[in-house]
Amino acid sequence: MNGERFYEAVGKANGWDFSRLRSRAEGGLWDFYQLVAENAQSSDRLLDIGTGGGEKVLEIAASFSTVTGIDRSKAMIETAKANLAKTDFSHVCFLEASSETLPFRESSFDRLSSRHAPFNAKEIWRVLKKGGTFYTQQVSEADKANLKDAFGRGQSFGERDGELRDAYERDLAAAGFSEMEIREYDAVEYLERREDLLFLLLHTPIIPSFGEQEGDFDRLQEFIEQNQTGKGIRTNSKRFLIIAKK
């Protein structure tokens, strides 16, 4: 299954809701959406790029005057709208749109966020107001390193760690951003049960086409046996954060 079809299938089945996943990380340094919200003014307008099922941005929606979430996946936006219908928010909307060409006027938003989603730096600059802030958290190439080693394939497998971070930093600088802060963490992550690891593999692209290649479940069992600890099944969660001010 290619990436686009996989993302649509996950959007229809689950959105981007990982609340059922029983895991914990030791060494994580921030909560992305709380970071976006903590310095917000009540008059700020927020655009969330790659919003998925809207679960996370809805948690901070009360901190903003308006919230717009976009995603390229029709299924994800349908899930986001269903999640919105469970709330009392009238200042939130979700739209099917690509981050490559944002369907908004120049200087439309005070804050932009993009969590684990691609973005176009020039478009970020265009729709962000002067004095506004862009926040992005991305998955580093070395994320889930032992898991990808066990399968011999995976998201960004074999790529240089830091390549995506450097590319986004260059793109943002070229777009006009001169004030940027970059942070990273590499946390030890423990998944409590086999079911949690299986859920992760089936609902993320960490191991592409998991379960479709011969031997995948044997490799999974071997990985669990080799990485089982008293705290759970051990792997790592590596992220980087860029905060860019216009």
Side-chain angles (χ1 to χ4, degrees):
M1 183 182 295
N2 66 30
E4 189 169 340
R5 287 173 56 204
F6 175 84
Y7 193 63
E8 283 288 329
V10 170
K12 187 174 294 185
N14 186 66
W16 218 235
D17 181 9
F18 290 89
S19 58
R20 73 186 72 179
L21 190 68
R22 288 163 57 177
S23 68
R24 62 174 175 171
E26 298 178 356
L29 301 178
W30 63 78
D31 180 304
F32 178 71
Y33 280 99
Q34 290 305 313
L35 189 69
V36 172
E38 65 184 15
N39 295 312
Q41 304 296 316
S42 59
S43 59
D44 283 352
R45 297 165 59 89
L46 172 67
L47 173 63
D48 188 43
I49 296 170
T51 199
E55 301 87 359
K56 289 297 183 180
V57 79
L58 285 171
E59 292 179 2
I60 62 168
S63 298
F64 298 89
S65 65
T66 67
V67 173
T68 303
I70 65 166
D71 203 287
R72 61 185 172 84
S73 165
K74 179 179 180 180
M76 286 291 186
I77 291 301
E78 288 174 352
T79 298
K81 289 180 177 179
N83 287 331
L84 176 59
K86 300 172 187 176
T87 75
D88 296 325
F89 294 137
S90 59
H91 68 301
V92 178
C93 68
F94 293 109
L95 305 171
E96 182 183 348
S98 169
S99 62
E100 190 59 30
T101 304
L102 296 172
F104 307 106
R105 297 177 182 174
E106 293 182 8
S107 305
S108 293
F109 299 95
D110 302 279
R111 293 175 185 268
L112 274 70
S113 55
S114 175
R115 179 177 179 268
H116 303 174
F119 60 87
N120 181 328
K122 292 181 180 179
E123 284 291 275
I124 297 295
W125 177 268
R126 183 181 66 81
V127 304
L128 188 63
K129 291 181 181 179
K130 186 176 181 180
T133 307
F134 171 56
Y135 301 82
T136 185
Q137 175 181 295
Q138 299 289 338
V139 178
S140 299
E141 291 86 349
D143 180 68
K144 304 294 182 294
N146 63 343
L147 186 59
K148 290 183 283 192
D149 284 343
F151 281 85
R153 70 183 197 273
Q155 188 177 36
S156 303
F157 184 66
E159 297 178 10
R160 178 181 66 83
D161 189 40
E163 189 170 343
L164 182 62
R165 178 201 63 216
D166 294 346
Y168 276 146
E169 183 181 4
R170 288 193 301 270
D171 288 349
L172 288 165
F177 290 96
S178 59
E179 186 178 348
M180 281 185 276
E181 177 185 352
I182 300 176
R183 308 181 194 174
E184 286 186 296
Y185 70 72
D186 191 359
V188 179
E189 183 176 11
Y190 296 98
L191 297 149
E192 286 191 15
R193 308 161 298 169
R194 182 181 188 275
E195 295 94 318
D196 297 311
L197 178 55
L198 189 58
F199 180 87
L200 194 67
L201 292 173
L202 291 172
H203 292 86
T204 71
I206 294 170
I207 305 298
S209 305
F210 170 76
E212 298 178 22
Q213 292 194 19
E214 185 177 353
D216 274 359
F217 287 96
D218 290 336
R219 294 187 187 94
L220 174 63
Q221 184 58 38
E222 184 178 352
F223 175 82
I224 293 172
E225 291 173 358
Q226 292 179 351
N227 293 278
Q228 184 71 60
T229 75
K231 296 179 180 180
I233 304 165
R234 186 181 188 279
T235 183
N236 76 305
S237 176
K238 188 167 187 184
R239 304 287 185 267
F240 68 87
L241 171 75
I242 302 177
I243 303 173
K245 295 183 179 181
K246 182 173 179 179

